[in-house]
Amino acid sequence: MTPRRLAVWGDPIAHSKSPQLHAAAYAALGRDWEYTRRQVDEATFGDALGALDESWRGLSLTMPLKEKAHRAAMTHDRYADLTGAVNTLLLTDGIRGFNTDVGGIIDALDEQGLLGIERVRILGAGATASSALVACVEAGARSVDVRARRPERAAELVALGQRLGVPVSASPFDADAVDVGLTVATLPGGTALDEGTSARLSAGGGVLFDVAYSPWPSALASVWSDGRAVSGEGMLLRQAVRQVRIFLHGDQRLPLPSEDAVVAAMKAAL
């Protein structure tokens, strides 16, 4: 049996645009593969994964499953190892874990002309924040200011910064702001901060790169005043391209056949 079934899992999941992105890619590649969505939470993830048969090729994982997927994977790529987060499982040879969020953020920042910014702020301290930190450092950040409701949750980000050789500070959302050139918001879509906090973060916050894309503009993007606000659709697209590479040939760094045409088809599906 040739594995041809794929899906995105998460909770919530109804908003996900991954099915149309992946369907467009596989049509362009001439692959008769099926890609669906399924609501799976942390409590049911293990049983759901264990119930998959040999018809399954792989999974995309979104919140809140990235850390669970990391623990389930038998091997990890470099980005998954650094972040402790897996958003892609390849099931055709054991359970192999990958993180395409890091590369997706880098690719999206590159498209927006946002590489080389040395002072960066990250909002949030979850699994996506870890990916954002690695991406920003690889994109040129030399210091990172993390803001979170509970700064103690950012201890792992501070430690990750030490591994990467970049100082990372952690403060509450409402702490005094320091001017940065780029703010990366990793908060769930629909998150709304109070007006004073949003204004404080916006002042001197540079360009807002918000990983959220539904609804758009996000609550933060709608009040951002210091620079332009960029939606997470570019990241969504670029991390999905890297997932398709993994599902096709097991390496997110290896371009797809006729990749420009595949990416164009995926963009048209958004």
Side-chain angles (χ1 to χ4, degrees), residues 142-218:
R142 294 296 172 261
S143 67
V144 179
D145 171 33
V146 175
R147 298 299 174 97
R149 283 196 173 88
R150 292 180 291 164
E152 63 274 13
R153 286 198 62 207
E156 292 184 2
L157 294 176
V158 174
L160 178 56
Q162 291 175 339
R163 289 179 65 188
L164 297 170
V166 170
V168 175
S169 60
S171 308
F173 282 130
D174 58 359
D176 290 340
V178 177
D179 287 356
V180 295
L182 173 69
T183 295
V184 180
T186 67
L187 309 174
T191 299
L193 303 175
D194 66 78
E195 184 177 342
T197 298
S198 296
R200 190 177 295 108
L201 292 170
S202 179
V207 176
L208 173 66
F209 182 90
D210 198 333
V211 303
Y213 61 88
S214 180
W216 187 260
S218 63

Side-chain angles (χ1 to χ4, degrees), residues 17-29 35 60 100 104 107 111 233-248 255-270:
K17 294 183 179 181
S18 292
Q20 54 260 50
L21 280 172
H22 281 262
Y26 304 133
L29 289 165
Y35 190 104
S60 307
T100 68
D107 293 344
E111 284 189 329
E233 265 201 356
M235 172 194 170
L236 174 72
L237 171 67
R238 289 299 169 179
Q239 66 81 28
V241 172
R242 288 171 172 261
Q243 287 185 332
V244 174
R245 292 173 179 172
I246 290 166
F247 295 145
L248 187 68
L256 300 165
S258 304
E259 182 160 291
D260 287 348
V262 176
V263 172
M266 295 172 75
K267 283 183 177 179
L270 278 174

Side-chain angles (χ1 to χ4, degrees), residues 9-11 38-50 62-69 71:
W9 288 2
D11 182 25
R38 178 178 172 184
Q39 184 166 329
V40 177
D41 60 20
E42 290 181 281
T44 58
F45 173 76
D47 288 342
L49 182 63
T62 186
M63 292 193 302
L65 302 177
K66 295 178 183 181
E67 292 171 348
K68 284 273 192 180
R71 290 193 289 271

